[in-house]
């Protein structure tokens, strides 16, 4: 693999055939993962793919069914408590103590992580400023907006300056502006040297990662950088906005050279073997059937199309 | 054991109790309210029970008898009726709780020293009032009869003392008299029951953290299991002790229950009891995944046995042997003994030490099992 050129540094997270079963489901299936220090790794995949289970395993919250893993140099099965001081983990439904103020939440976690008392004040102030919460420090957590709660949650997981951050869908349910701010913070942290593993349902967020792993039914089906993933998409992409998208979709799918049609509301993304050749054919066919449309053009595939295409192919198999 | 971790958890939990209204009400107000409600509900004095009388005899003696039965505040003569049908009617409509039927030969039989047939019909749907009426009429009948007999005998010029004629010892009736303040006995026992509420809260708070996701966030920190569990328990011991100060005060002021023992001793022993019952609540919280489940199990192991097994309402001595064993393994049983001892006869450690040891043993055992079963894992 191309990444092994940088193998002077040992991986900070490494799993071998990591597997976790629940009663009926194999939530994580023989996962081999190697993450280098300082990486910003994105974990994507549909609901139930096993992202949360993977992160919980790495945080030492779940027992391993089989396989092994090393996190920050410690064995996950045998030394989970040692790992806990090295990582910051933010659960998918991170809930703060709503009756405690912003400051009280921070100092609660500072105490549990044994943060040096001499450093506490300075660090708290820095984190509050960093999360933009300084002026809300005495407000009860329950009374913060969703975006601010997520930032406070992040501040709490950062209070002991962990080497590794494991974040489970930290921006789900947050407004777009807070989402962007949150990712700016993550990028800063990552530039400062923190290794970050973050799961997300948003493909634009996956695009901001250094490397992305796509999980599907417990397995890691693709693990590469965003450009490589986009390059895996076969064919070229045409976008158009028909007025009757259902009829147009059915028609276009039946045309020669069309590999796949994806719908985004009334916007159609059509994957074809050659855009130059098929675009006029599609327009002719639509006109012949009296289907009106607007905004037809060639576009470059995004992560989103790439993933949907990949998952469709997996579902067919 | 890190003192800093422990203190952080305690402080967090105290803030939760003080600021979360539901929890505050449950641990501070509900025990007191329950004490009031149960004390009143269980010990209402029965008075003014309405009865009807069907007097077939209509003699001066029967009239005097009716007069004596309905004297005072206990029974009220609701109606003098002429037929059994009337009685039936009044009973069905709930206007009377019991009826007294006096046979035609009442006076004659009484004066000729024969047996006196009295019939009492009661409303079986209200056994308490009915039973009270039966006891009361029976008591008055005995008084009346012995007096009548005495005067009859005196009229025959036989020289006997009245006491030797008493057919039944009147003191037996005293035991059945509900106005003899059963509260004195019940309230100290009730205190041990209502202190189950802090224990319930502990079970609920742990389940709440699990359901709410805050537990997941705590489990990834280096906090120790015992630090976390003790830190959650200690605040509830403190609020429990606040109740321990309030409730004897209420017992004294409102119900006039004397407190004959040493209060510091009572306070100390209450702390021991709270430790035992809260570790039981903790055990429930460790095993139950959700609040409804924790609630159900708490009722099963904390309140339900507290009600039936701690000897508050049913004397332990009259239980079958297996049940007695089970009763002795419940913290409430021992604490009921302690509260009653300290409140009423004012006994001290010299008598109560076995109960104290039992409570300490249970507390340590339950806490140990809870801490060992509590894993820093999910699922
Ligand atoms: N605690 C659990 N008990 C039983 N099954 C679980 C549990 N957690 C997750 N699963 C199952 O494991 C699979 C993966 O779930 P999860 O890791 O939450 O996926 P994701 O985070 O990608 O949505 C799902 O099928 C889910 O139902
Ligand atoms: Mg998830």
């Amino acid at each position: 693999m191309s990444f092994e050129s940088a193998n002077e540094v040992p991986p900070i997270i490494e799993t071998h055939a990591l597997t976790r079963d629940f009663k009926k489901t194999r939530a994580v299936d023989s996962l081999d993962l190697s993450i280098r220090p300082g990486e910003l790794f994105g974990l994507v995949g549909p609901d139930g793919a096993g992202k949360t289970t993977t992160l919980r395993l790495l945080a030492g919250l779940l027992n391993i069914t089989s396989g092994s893993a090393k996190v920050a140099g410690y064995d996950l099965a045998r030394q989970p408590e040692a790992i806990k001081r090295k990582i910051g983990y933010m659960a998918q439904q991170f809930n703060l103590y709503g009756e405690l103020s912003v400051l009280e939440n921070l100092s609660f976690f500072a105490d549990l992580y044994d943060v040096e008392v001499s450093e506490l004040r300075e660090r708290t102030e820095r984190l509050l400023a960093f999360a933009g919460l300084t002026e809300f420090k005495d407000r009860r957590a329950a009374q913060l907006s969703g975006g601010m709660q997520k930032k406070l949650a992040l501040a709490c997981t950062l209070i002991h300056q962990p080497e590794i951050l494991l974040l489970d869908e930290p921006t789900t349910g947050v407004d777009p502006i807070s989402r962007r701010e949150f990712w700016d913070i993550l990028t800063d942290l990552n530039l400062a040297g923190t290794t970050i593993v973050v799961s997300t349902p948003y493909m634009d967020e996956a695009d901001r990662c250094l490397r992305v792993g796509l999980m599907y039914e417990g397995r890691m089906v693709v693990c590469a950088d965003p450009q490589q993933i986009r390059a895996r998409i076969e064919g070229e992409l045409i976008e158009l906005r028909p007025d009757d998208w259902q009829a147009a979709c059915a028609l276009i799918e039946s045309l020669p050279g069309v590999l796949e049609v994806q719908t985004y509301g009334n916007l159609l993304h059509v994957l074809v073997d050659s855009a130059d050749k098929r675009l006029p054919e599609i327009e002719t066919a639509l006109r012949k059937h009296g289907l009106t449309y607007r905004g037809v053009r060639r576009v470059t595939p995004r992560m989103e199309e790439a993933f949907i295409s990949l998952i469709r192919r997996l579902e067919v198999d | 054991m890190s003192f800093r971790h422990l203190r952080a958890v305690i402080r967090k939990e105290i803030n939760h109790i003080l600021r979360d209204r539901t929890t505050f009400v449950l641990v501070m107000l509900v025990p007191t309210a329950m004490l009031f409600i149960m004390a009143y509900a269980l010990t209402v004095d029965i008075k003014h029970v309405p009865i009807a009388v069907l007097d077939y005899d209509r003699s001066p003696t029967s009239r005097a008898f009716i007069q004596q039965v309905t004297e005072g505040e206990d029974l009220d003569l609701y109606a003098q009726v002429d037929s059994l049908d009337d009685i039936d009617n009044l009973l069905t409509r709930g206007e009377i709780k019991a009826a007294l039927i006096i046979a035609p030969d009442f006076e004659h039989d009484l004066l000729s020293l024969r047996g006196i047939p009295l019939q009492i019909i009661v409303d079986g749907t209200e056994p308490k009032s009915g039973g009270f009426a039966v006891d009361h009429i029976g008591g008055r009948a005995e008084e009346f009869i012995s007096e009548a007999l005495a005067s009859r005998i005196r009229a025959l010029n036989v020289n006997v003392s009245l006491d030797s004629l008493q057919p039944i010892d009147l003191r037996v009736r005293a035991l059945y008299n509900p106005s003899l303040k059963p509260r004195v006995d019940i309230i100290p026992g009730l205190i041990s029951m209502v202190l189950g509420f802090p224990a319930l809260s502990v079970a609920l708070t742990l389940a709440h953290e699990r359901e709410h996701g805050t537990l997941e966030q705590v489990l990834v920190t280096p906090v120790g299991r015992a630090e976390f569990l003790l830190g959650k328990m200690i605040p509830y011991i403190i609020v429990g002790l606040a109740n321990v100060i309030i409730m004897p005060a209420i017992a004294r002021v409102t119900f006039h229950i004397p407190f004959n023992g040493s209060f510091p001793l009572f306070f100390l022993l209450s702390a021991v009891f709270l430790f035992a019952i809260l570790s039981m609540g903790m055990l429930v919280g460790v095993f139950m995944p959700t609040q409804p489940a924790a609630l159900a199990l708490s009722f099963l192991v904390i309140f339900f046995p507290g009600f039936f097994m701690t000897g508050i309402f049913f004397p332990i001595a009259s239980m079958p042997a297996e049940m007695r064993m089970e009763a002795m393994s419940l913290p409430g049983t021992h604490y009921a003994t302690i509260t009653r001892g300290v409140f009423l006869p004012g006994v001290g450690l010299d008598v109560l030490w076995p109960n104290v040891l039992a409570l300490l043993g249970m507390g340590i055992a339950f806490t140990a099992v809870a801490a060992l079963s509590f894993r820093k894992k999910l699922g």
Side-chain angles (χ1 to χ4, degrees):
Chain A
M1 283 195 12
S2 58
F3 300 102
E4 278 163 12
S5 56
N7 64 1
E8 314 89 57
V9 204
I12 194 163
I13 297 176
E14 194 171 23
T15 71
H16 292 290
L18 186 65
T19 301
R20 166 71 203 205
D21 288 343
F22 290 109
K23 268 177 214 112
K24 290 192 202 96
T25 30
R26 173 152 291 189
V28 172
D29 189 359
S30 321
L31 185 71
D32 290 311
L33 188 64
S34 172
I35 294 171
R36 284 161 293 133
E39 258 199 282
L40 174 50
F41 188 91
L43 212 48
V44 297
D47 269 354
K51 307 180 293 292
T52 297
T53 308
T54 303
L55 290 169
R56 282 179 171 168
L57 283 168
L58 294 178
L61 280 171
L62 288 173
N63 287 319
I64 297 170
T65 303
S66 67
S68 66
K70 270 191 147 182
V71 177
Y74 296 104
D75 184 87
L76 189 53
R78 277 175 290 137
Q79 301 158 291
E81 292 304 304
I83 292 174
K84 283 176 181 169
R85 292 187 181 272
K86 302 283 185 183
I87 60 166
Y89 166 80
M90 186 170 152
Q92 185 167 348
Q93 289 93 16
F94 186 112
N95 263 307
L96 297 148
Y97 290 104
E99 309 88 41
L100 298 192
S101 72
V102 169
L103 210 54
E104 286 167 337
N105 268 295
L106 272 174
S107 47
F108 174 68
F109 286 100
D111 283 338
L112 294 195
Y113 280 110
D114 298 303
V115 175
E116 282 296 330
V117 181
S118 57
E119 290 179 29
L120 190 57
R121 204 192 146 93
E122 183 268 327
R123 207 181 285 181
T124 309
E125 273 167 20
R126 196 164 41 79
L127 279 174
L128 284 174
F130 181 66
L133 288 168
T134 310
E135 57 181 308
F136 303 110
K137 65 179 193 297
D138 294 316
R139 193 183 281 194
R140 299 233 178 132
Q143 276 143 24
L144 295 175
S145 73
M148 285 199 276
Q149 285 189 2
K150 293 283 183 180
K151 285 184 213 157
L152 173 57
L154 182 65
C156 288
T157 55
L158 290 172
I159 192 83
H160 57 300
Q161 298 185 318
E163 291 172 24
I164 304 169
L165 262 186
L166 305 172
L167 308 173
D168 197 0
E169 300 198 14
T171 56
T172 301
V174 172
D175 69 85
I177 294 171
S178 301
R179 245 178 78 193
R180 162 159 280 143
E181 285 170 0
F182 195 92
W183 269 88
D184 290 342
I185 296 176
L186 288 192
T187 311
D188 284 349
L189 279 169
N190 183 239
L191 291 175
T194 310
T195 309
I196 301 176
V197 182
V198 54
S199 77
T200 176
Y202 301 113
M203 293 306 147
D204 57 327
E205 293 186 352
D207 245 334
R208 293 184 70 151
C209 296
L210 206 66
R211 219 154 40 106
V212 178
L214 169 65
M215 289 194 78
Y216 187 75
E217 290 182 348
R219 277 168 299 122
M220 183 75 83
V221 289
V222 182
C223 183
D225 65 51
Q227 292 84 350
Q228 286 176 313
I229 288 175
R230 276 198 298 269
R232 285 180 74 122
I233 209 164
E234 290 164 20
E236 293 168 327
L237 195 62
I238 295 167
E239 181 188 277
L240 75 158
R241 208 177 281 277
D243 292 316
D244 180 355
W245 67 268
Q246 276 163 317
C249 188
L251 173 67
I252 294 169
E253 267 176 343
S254 69
L255 296 175
V258 172
L259 305 169
E260 194 175 324
V261 183
Q262 297 175 7
T263 56
Y264 299 87
N266 63 353
L267 187 72
L268 292 190
H269 278 183
V270 187
L271 270 176
V272 293
D273 51 2
S274 157
D276 287 339
K277 184 162 166 234
R278 301 301 176 191
L279 206 150
E281 289 178 15
I282 289 173
E283 290 196 87
T284 316
L286 285 170
R287 273 198 295 272
K288 204 174 98 192
H289 286 81
L291 291 167
T292 49
Y293 58 92
R294 283 165 294 134
V296 64
R297 61 189 180 118
R298 259 191 87 159
V299 289
T300 32
R302 298 170 303 162
M303 286 287 267
E304 192 135 2
E305 283 83 30
F307 275 122
I308 291 173
S309 182
L310 280 170
I311 286 171
R312 275 212 182 152
R313 263 179 273 162
L314 288 166
E315 276 170 350
V316 171
D317 294 345
Chain B
M1 179 82 69
S2 150
F3 180 67
R4 187 174 178 194
H5 293 176
L6 188 63
R7 195 188 52 189
V9 179
I10 290 175
R11 189 184 290 160
K12 183 224 92 188
E13 201 62 36
I14 286 181
N15 277 324
H16 173 78
I17 294 170
L18 294 179
R19 297 176 191 174
D20 180 72
R21 203 168 296 157
T22 321
T23 311
F24 185 81
V25 167
L26 193 61
V27 297
M28 288 305 295
L29 304 182
V30 169
T32 309
M34 281 294 279
L35 182 67
F36 267 105
I37 295 168
M38 291 177 65
Y40 276 117
L42 291 168
T43 60
V44 213
D45 290 339
I46 302 175
K47 273 185 189 154
H48 297 292
V49 175
I51 62 161
V53 176
L54 173 52
D55 184 2
Y56 286 119
D57 195 34
R58 294 175 192 281
S59 63
T61 314
S62 71
R63 274 194 290 277
F65 178 58
I66 294 167
Q67 168 71 30
Q68 183 151 349
V69 164
T70 55
E71 222 172 46
E73 296 194 326
D74 297 325
L75 299 181
D76 289 350
L77 180 58
Y78 185 80
Q80 283 250 33
V81 294
D82 299 319
S83 72
L84 281 170
D85 286 345
D86 293 342
I87 291 177
D88 214 34
N89 264 330
L90 290 172
L91 272 175
T92 1
R93 277 186 271 132
E95 289 176 33
I96 57 168
K97 303 292 169 214
L100 168 64
I101 300 163
I102 298 170
D105 300 325
F106 181 76
E107 187 180 62
H108 178 257
D109 286 353
L110 181 66
L111 295 182
S112 55
L113 307 181
R114 292 215 202 123
I116 310 133
L118 280 179
Q119 195 184 352
I120 303 171
I121 300 175
V122 299
D123 181 354
T125 61
E126 269 192 61
K128 252 188 132 165
S129 308
F132 174 74
V134 172
D135 292 338
H136 187 86
I137 295 171
R140 288 291 163 90
E142 279 160 23
E143 276 172 42
F144 186 79
I145 291 160
S146 48
E147 258 167 49
L149 285 180
S151 55
R152 178 93 179 110
I153 289 166
R154 263 195 301 274
L156 294 172
N157 272 328
V158 182
N159 194 8
V160 290
S161 83
L162 191 60
D163 281 348
S164 64
L165 281 171
Q166 215 79 324
I168 292 173
D169 186 356
L170 283 174
R171 276 170 303 170
V172 173
R173 292 203 306 270
L175 276 184
Y176 288 97
N177 183 349
S179 63
L180 193 79
K181 293 199 222 154
R183 280 172 183 164
V184 172
D185 195 46
I186 283 179
I187 290 196
L190 276 184
I191 291 180
S192 76
M193 256 201 73
V194 298
L195 282 181
F197 280 95
L200 170 67
S201 309
V202 165
L204 288 181
T205 172
L206 207 57
H208 178 263
E209 288 216 31
R210 189 171 290 128
E211 277 183 316
H212 212 234
T214 47
L215 187 64
E216 182 168 3
Q217 218 55 51
V218 168
L219 294 183
V220 291
T221 71
V223 70
R225 294 182 280 172
E227 292 160 3
F228 182 66
L229 292 184
L230 276 179
K232 281 192 87 68
M233 207 156 103
I234 288 168
Y236 291 92
I237 294 187
I238 296 171
V239 295
L241 287 176
N243 280 304
V244 166
I245 295 176
I246 297 168
M247 287 194 292
I250 291 175
R252 225 175 140 155
V253 174
T254 314
F255 301 110
H256 309 289
I257 313 291
F259 188 89
N260 297 321
S262 135
F263 188 76
L265 177 71
F266 175 64
F267 193 76
L268 191 76
L269 300 189
S270 299
V272 176
F273 166 69
L274 282 165
F275 170 58
I277 191 92
L278 286 176
S279 36
M280 210 161 152
M282 191 55 86
L283 203 54
V284 170
V286 164
F287 284 105
M288 292 294 106
T290 61
Q291 291 193 76
L295 187 68
L297 189 60
S298 296
F299 266 95
L300 219 59
V301 302
I302 295 172
F303 289 103
F304 196 66
F307 214 80
F308 293 107
M309 311 276 287
T310 55
I312 297 175
F313 303 116
F314 309 106
I316 294 174
S318 63
M319 288 177 180
E322 313 85 62
M323 246 169 105
R324 204 153 52 216
M325 286 279 292
E326 206 180 322
M328 293 319 276
S329 65
L330 292 167
T333 311
H334 297 280
Y335 188 62
T337 310
I338 289 173
T339 40
R340 248 182 258 138
V342 176
F343 261 88
L344 305 172
V347 296
L349 266 186
D350 48 329
V351 178
L352 298 174
W353 65 268
N355 301 99
V356 179
L357 279 189
L359 286 178
L360 271 178
M362 287 179 208
I364 292 168
F366 290 146
T367 309
V369 176
L372 290 176
S373 326
F374 183 63
R375 301 255 152 250
K376 282 186 73 182
K377 298 277 181 194
L378 300 165

